[in-house]
Amino acid sequence: MTAQYSADFEKALQVGRPPNIRKLFPNSKALIVSGKVVDRAMIAKGKAITMAANGRNYFVIRGVLMAAQRANCPIIIEIAKSEGGQKAYCAVNYWNMARIVDALCNELGITVPVAIHADHYGIKSDKDLKAAMVEIPTMFEAGITSIAIDASHLPDDQNLLANLAINPSIPAWAGLETEVGEIKGNQGLSTVEEALFLIRGLNARGIFPDWIALNNGTTHGIEASDAGIQVGLTAEIHQALAPYRVNGAQHGTSGNSSERLREIANRTVTTKANVATALQMISWGLEVNDYGNAQLDASGNFIKVAGEGMTEELWAEMVAYAESKGWKKGDYKNLNLPFENKLLAQPADVRERMARRVEEFACKMLTEVFDAKDTAPLAIEAILKAGSHDLGPKGSPIEKAADWTDEKIVERAKTIVSDKGPEGNFED
């Protein structure tokens, strides 16, 4: 399709693309930007959230980009370490995602800003931290423009110290997310004290995250209950963090009703909401409810909608494969890697309907739930005002570095009283 590029877009394209993106795609018309740009656009509108879509397959990425263009809002395309790291279960990964997005933006004439986010970059040990110092630079070299450091599996002091240690590996211009509390549903909920400890410690050492993710009652994957996000808790923590100017990143939106997500937008300072499982299921052609949860039939099986998503034949092959592995419904995400090429090998009309189904769902969420419509000009305005790809930090120094030395961090953490919830694997 032939795109119409405005004068402001052309200016933003010249100054707003980070150096890694300019190097990778010197002749591109894709406005790939820092996650900071997207965050600032949501702040400028107020009570607006954009989608951070986990691009588990090509069709999700294509559909979400088309939705963002329709809604005229900046978007975040992301992949988590479990989905797209070295032990990935998806073909889309940290090192090819920017290339896929850039190609699609040019093909489709996408003129809204897009950030490329490395979600849930997990650090659980000293070994992980050492490996991260090598791996994270390679991800930015491959086009990542924003990252979520997730050391929430560690005790509070080790979480903070890991964030401090890894920060020199992250470009100052990049979007930055930090996390307190693993995403464990209604167990191990984050507290004001834990969140303040993390953000105050980072502030003292000159680090000003754009977002903080909390365990505020939601889960990853297929939501087993309707408890969902605890909006009051989220609002309380965000209010406590207000002086530090850090916004919320809402994880695990699949399984939460549109009403609850609207409440998150209205009552908290959330600007980024991750959507993963719902988009995957929609692209495949499965029946989902308003919560984005895939529906099951009387026998407990997913419901494939005839004539939507992939072909019925390919779906039957995927189900048979999953059954041969003994996979439960929550394990179906592992089908992404072995079947991506088979999905891409379907006829053009089938591939198109897979992406269109994602587009319809995502566009409705962006415009009717997250209130992000027409925020793209605000993102471009932020770039032009800065005259640079680097918008700088929102926060400013409040804490004293002398109060937050490594030794004092360890001592301070001993006073925190919290319930981390059950042990287990809470990836994604």
Side-chain angles (χ1 to χ4, degrees):
M1 91 180 42
T2 302
Q4 299 297 316
Y5 300 109
S6 70
D8 281 351
F9 175 88
E10 293 283 6
K11 289 177 190 173
L13 195 68
Q14 291 302 311
V15 301
R17 297 195 308 154
N20 60 338
I21 297 299
R22 293 200 306 270
K23 181 178 179 180
L24 285 168
F25 315 116
N27 304 308
S28 176
K29 287 284 191 178
L31 186 52
I32 296 178
V33 299
S34 164
K36 293 183 188 299
V37 173
V38 182
D39 177 49
R40 303 296 171 85
M42 299 305 114
I43 295 170
K45 182 170 186 180
K47 300 187 185 304
I49 301 174
T50 196
M51 181 184 295
N54 288 56
R56 290 184 180 177
N57 63 46
Y58 167 88
F59 308 96
V60 166
I61 298 175
R62 188 182 184 97
V64 167
L65 289 174
M66 293 191 296
Q69 186 71 14
R70 268 176 64 185
N72 193 29
C73 74
I75 201 78
I76 298 169
I77 303 295
E78 66 180 23
I79 204 82
K81 193 175 186 180
S82 57
E83 297 167 316
Q86 291 190 33
K87 298 178 181 178
Y89 62 76
C90 298
V92 179
N93 59 54
Y94 284 151
W95 300 276
N96 67 17
M97 187 164 59
R99 296 180 185 279
I100 295 169
V101 169
D102 183 78
L104 282 170
C105 285
N106 281 283
E107 176 198 341
L108 299 169
I110 302 297
T111 56
V112 299
V114 185
I116 311 293
H117 184 76
D119 194 38
H120 280 298
Y121 188 89
I123 298 175
K124 300 181 180 182
S125 65
D126 288 340
K127 182 180 177 183
D128 286 347
L129 183 59
K130 187 176 180 181
M133 292 178 179
V134 176
E135 186 175 63
I136 286 176
T138 73
M139 292 154 50
F140 280 95
E141 288 162 6
I144 293 295
T145 64
S146 182
I147 191 168
I149 298 300
D150 179 7
S152 64
H153 303 76
L154 299 172
D156 291 296
D157 56 343
Q158 297 305 308
N159 182 357
L160 173 52
L161 290 169
N163 272 267
L164 292 170
I166 199 61
N167 194 258
S169 300
I170 301 168
W173 54 257
L176 178 63
E177 180 179 336
T178 191
E179 182 162 342
V180 59
E182 293 181 76
I183 309 302
K184 296 182 178 181
N186 61 5
Q187 301 186 73
L189 293 172
S190 299
T191 66
V192 169
E193 188 180 19
E194 290 170 311
L196 273 172
F197 177 83
L198 178 58
I199 297 303
R200 289 180 69 200
L202 292 173
N203 181 278
R205 306 281 279 269
I207 300 170
F208 312 104
D210 301 288
W211 300 285
I212 185 171
L214 314 168
N215 177 17
N216 57 357
T218 192
T219 64
H220 286 127
I222 302 169
E223 185 79 53
S225 75
D226 62 358
I229 301 164
Q230 296 196 16
V231 182
L233 172 65
T234 309
E236 181 186 5
I237 293 174
H238 286 184
Q239 186 174 7
L241 295 175
Y244 302 91
R245 302 191 67 191
V246 58
N247 288 85
Q250 181 58 56
H251 290 202
T253 57
S254 301
N256 287 277
S257 68
S258 296
E259 287 71 27
R260 185 178 277 124
L261 295 176
R262 288 189 191 99
E263 199 178 356
I264 280 284
N266 288 323
R267 290 182 54 194
T268 75
V269 292
T270 302
T271 59
K272 171 182 181 283
N274 296 7
V275 187
T277 305
L279 299 175
Q280 166 195 280
M281 299 301 196
I282 288 162
S283 74
W284 287 352
L286 305 189
E287 186 175 313
V288 300
N289 63 7
D290 175 59
Y291 287 43
N293 258 347
Q295 299 298 280
L296 304 178
D297 62 20
S299 302
N301 298 313
F302 290 123
I303 302 168
K304 171 70 170 66
V305 182
E308 293 194 25
M310 71 181 77
T311 64
E312 275 59 55
E313 294 77 14
L314 186 51
W315 174 244
E317 186 180 340
M318 286 174 71
V319 170
Y321 185 92
E323 289 177 348
S324 74
K325 298 286 188 182
W327 287 348
K328 298 176 181 178
K329 295 297 175 284
D331 299 322
Y332 270 53
K333 62 190 179 183
N334 294 305
L335 291 165
N336 281 286
L337 185 58
F339 280 89
E340 178 81 351
N341 288 355
K342 291 197 174 192
L343 290 167
L344 290 167
Q346 296 174 112
D349 61 325
V350 176
R351 303 197 308 271
E352 185 65 19
R353 77 190 188 193
M354 289 180 71
R356 288 290 178 192
R357 197 165 192 251
V358 172
E359 178 191 355
E360 293 301 324
F361 181 89
C363 189
K364 183 177 180 181
M365 182 168 275
L366 288 167
T367 57
E368 298 181 18
V369 180
F370 292 154
D371 197 27
K373 184 175 172 60
D374 294 328
T375 48
L378 299 175
I380 289 175
E381 185 179 316
I383 293 169
L384 298 182
K385 184 178 179 180
S388 169
H389 63 276
D390 186 358
L391 270 55
K394 288 180 300 190
S396 56
I398 296 175
E399 305 294 330
K400 296 179 180 177
D403 295 336
W404 291 87
T405 61
D406 288 7
E407 295 77 15
K408 288 184 179 180
I409 285 170
V410 173
E411 289 304 310
R412 279 175 178 267
K414 293 176 182 177
T415 67
I416 297 176
V417 179
S418 64
D419 172 19
K420 296 297 185 184
E423 294 292 324
N425 181 13
F426 297 91
E427 289 287 8
D428 278 358

